[in-house]
Every structure is written in structure tokens, then in C-alpha cells.
Amino acid sequence: MTSWGKRDEMIVHERDPFNAEAPPGVLVEEFVTPVSTFYSRNHGPIPELDPDAWSLRVDGAVSRPLTLTLAQLQAFDHVTVTATLQCAGNRRADLIKVQDIPGEDPWGRGATSTAEWTGARLGDVLDAAGLDPAPGAGHVAFDAPDVSQLADPPQPYGGSVPLAKARGPEVLLAWAMNGAPLTQAHGAPVRVVVPGYIGARSVKWVQRLTVQPEPSDNYFQATAYRIVPPDVDPTQAGPGDGISLGPVVVNAAILAPFDGSRLPAGRTDISGYAYVGGDRTVARVDLSTDGGSTWVQADLGRRTDRWAWTLWSTSVDLAGGPHTLLVRAWDDAGAQQPESPASLWNPKGYANTSWDRVEIVVDAA
């Protein structure tokens, strides 16, 4: 095992703060991603909190502000949700190939993982605090103790989601991951899990919830996780500039075979994931083995988990020579991934949902 209990095969982009993803071939091994393989995205040093001393403050536009210990939080109904989290920078490496993105980690396909999360519904906790449905209750902000130097001046991490999402039965204050207590690297003792939204909104080590009229003014909500136009200097972008990222749009990637593989001729298994957030589901996945001239529909795997990815697969006969594998997904509203990463390039490298491309060589029979 490497840092923070992660597998040795992890691709480590930074050690402090710790940022790492699984290689594609490892990620496809299981529907539920082991904790040792789950991607890790951090903006500052990972805090170490004492579960016995931890508490959660719930305030703002509520009639009964609360301070809950871990034991008191765990007295709420326990709920388990299988949900995928995807970093907004997932597949940034392909955008960097279009044009360099200085200062940003070159995430590949592995900044996406799925876990079984157990905790209390955020909505139940808000109800216990006497949630006020008046205009003062438009968003729920989350505050955490991990301080990031990326903000100027440095500040603790935070974010928010609209109240309508926060009250969804899938949104949790989670204390367990895959049936075991959260690890330090994944937000122990308690984190927010917001299925269907970019991973940045699933705030780890959460210590405060505030019901308020507007989105959080925290740097990572107001400034960082926003798509700005291609001609904008991201270092000069301020609060409110660009488009705020929330629900994940449809995305698919090829996990096996990996880019640059050399394979024997004949029947070849190809697999990967497809995922979409919001209120949508993956409806179809198409695969091309000839650079987009022809397409076949892939088989969609386990489909019982509303908030989790689809692990798709197919088998094709490949003749000798080079092959360009392409994958594209469609959601149930008819939206499809755009073809080119160039059309999506932005100076922070967020939301690359273009067709995924893998180049392989097949040996002659």
C-alpha cells in the first residue's frame, strides 16, 4: 500500500495535498470501488479529527439550530446509497493535449469511483433543525476544517448545493464507506455525499451546515469550480465569474484495454464506465473500433443503482493493425457526449465529457 492506504498502482498526481487516481484497468475490476482504489482529491493537508470530539453545527434559516455529536447523528435513521463521485477535473489530461493548462493536475479517466455510503439523510437533519421554507432557505452551505493555500488568502474548504437537492433522499451525512467507518483520507468522521453532483460538493470532514438564501461564498464554490471562457485568465477570475458546476453531464470512458495496448488478433473484450448526474440515467453506450466510421452498442451492466455508474462491456473481433477505439454515451433525455475535447477546452480544465479515445495495436494473426 502507498500513502493513505492506497494501492501501489495508484497514479499519484500530488503528495501534499494528496491527489491520486486508479489506473483504468484497476478501476474496472469491481462495480463498487474498494477504498484502496477510490480516487482521492484534496485541496490542502488532510485533517485528523477525533470522532469523540467532533460535532456538527446546523444553523442559518432554521428555527431550532442544532449541534450534534457523532452519536447523536447516528441516532437518525441509517441509510445506504450506492453512488458514484466524479471529480470535475476528470479526464483533464485530454484537454491538456489540446492546449496546456498550467497549475492543474492531469487527471485521467480514474477520477471517478463508486462506493456504498452509509449515514443519515441530510434532509432528516434539516427537518430536525426546523427548516424554514421561507425565502431565506435557498441553499445549504457546508464548512470543513481543511485549509487550502489555493485560495488567496488561504481558507478552509467549503461549498453548497441548492436546498431542493439537499433535501433529496439520496443526499447523506455519511460516516461509513463500503461497510466500514470512513478513513481519514475520505472524510472521517463525517462527510457530505451529494450523488449526481461533481465531487467537489461532497464536502469531507464537514463541521457546519448553514441554510441560507444564496450559494456559499467560499472560494471553492464562488470562484474555483466554475467554467470560464477560453480567453479568460483563470488567475484573474473572481467570485461569480463563469458557470458554476453542479450536476454531472453524461460521460463515458474506456477502461480496458488501456491506451497503447498491444493485443493479439481475434475476439477482444472492451469495457468501461458511463455516468450521468442530475435526474438523468445512462440510456445507451456506443463503441467504435475504427475511429468512428462504424459503431456498435455496448451491453449495459448493473442498472439497479440510481446514483451509480454503468459499467458497460462488449466483445469485438479485431484484425491485425492499429485501431482507434471511441466511446460515446447517451442519457435518457437524448443528450450525447460532444465529439471533440477541443470544443470543450477551458482554462481550468473542467468537465471534459468528449468522446473517449484509446489507441491500440493488434498483432497479425
Side-chain angles (χ1 to χ4, degrees):
M1 292 290 179
T2 185
S3 301
W4 303 106
K6 297 298 178 181
R7 289 172 57 156
D8 291 338
E9 299 95 326
M10 295 291 282
I11 301 168
V12 178
H13 296 294
E14 293 180 87
R15 295 197 176 276
D16 186 18
F18 183 68
N19 288 295
E21 64 180 296
V26 171
L27 194 62
V28 78
E29 291 175 352
E30 299 181 63
F31 183 87
V32 173
T33 312
V35 177
S36 61
T37 308
F38 204 101
Y39 82 94
S40 185
R41 175 68 175 107
N42 297 287
H43 302 81
I46 294 174
E48 184 174 359
L49 305 180
D50 180 358
D52 294 331
W54 176 88
S55 65
L56 176 69
R57 177 68 177 169
V58 185
D59 59 18
V62 295
S63 59
R64 296 184 298 275
L66 299 175
T67 299
L68 300 172
T69 65
L70 180 58
Q72 289 170 328
L73 179 64
Q74 291 176 336
F76 285 82
D77 289 344
H78 291 202
V79 178
T80 297
V81 176
T82 302
T84 297
L85 296 186
Q86 185 171 95
C87 179
N90 186 58
R91 298 183 55 216
R92 179 184 285 134
D94 289 336
L95 297 182
I96 292 174
K97 292 176 183 177
V98 175
Q99 183 178 329
D100 192 26
I101 303 174
E104 299 288 354
D105 291 335
W107 293 97
R109 303 167 178 86
T112 305
S113 305
T114 298
E116 295 174 343
W117 308 97
T118 300
R121 290 189 180 94
L122 173 57
D124 289 349
V125 173
L126 294 173
D127 287 344
L131 180 63
D132 183 355
H139 299 262
V140 179
F142 313 121
D143 293 325
D146 51 320
V147 176
S148 175
Q149 301 295 317
L150 297 175
D152 185 17
Q155 64 176 261
Y157 190 86
S160 64
V161 295
L163 179 60
K165 178 63 177 180
R167 300 199 71 171
E170 73 279 2
V171 180
L172 302 181
L173 295 169
W175 54 74
M177 180 180 182
N178 295 350
L182 285 174
T183 62
Q184 184 181 346
H186 286 289
V190 175
R191 68 174 297 166
V192 184
V193 175
V194 185
Y197 271 51
I198 61 168
R201 306 306 177 219
S202 291
V203 175
K204 293 177 283 189
W205 313 291
V206 64
Q207 293 183 320
R208 185 181 180 187
L209 310 176
T210 303
V211 180
Q212 57 191 48
E214 303 296 333
S216 170
D217 62 1
N218 185 276
Y219 170 81
F220 292 98
Q221 178 77 38
T223 302
Y225 282 98
R226 305 179 74 92
I227 293 182
V228 296
D231 59 348
V232 169
D233 180 352
T235 64
Q236 301 302 312
D241 290 344
I243 301 168
S244 180
L245 292 167
V248 177
V249 297
V250 65
N251 199 353
I254 299 168
L255 298 180
F258 57 85
D259 200 38
S261 293
R262 194 172 193 100
L263 305 173
R267 202 69 177 166
T268 301
D269 294 331
I270 305 174
S271 58
Y273 66 74
Y275 175 61
V276 64
D279 58 357
R280 299 183 178 183
T281 57
V282 173
R284 194 176 100 201
V285 173
D286 297 343
L287 179 79
S288 174
T289 61
D290 54 14
S293 296
T294 61
W295 298 85
V296 297
Q297 289 187 38
D299 295 324
L300 304 184
R302 176 172 162 181
R303 306 279 286 162
T304 57
D305 301 285
R306 166 67 184 83
W307 298 104
W309 58 15
T310 295
L311 293 184
W312 58 266
S313 63
T314 191
S315 295
V316 294
D317 289 313
L318 295 179
H323 291 266
T324 298
L325 308 181
L326 295 173
V327 68
R328 63 187 184 190
W330 304 70
D331 68 23
D332 59 353
Q336 185 213 142
Q337 295 174 250
E339 179 176 353
S340 169
S343 67
L344 295 172
W345 189 92
N346 61 91
K348 294 185 180 182
Y350 291 144
N352 177 21
T353 59
S354 62
W355 297 356
D356 194 23
R357 175 186 297 262
V358 166
E359 304 287 350
I360 62 171
V361 175
V362 174
D363 294 328

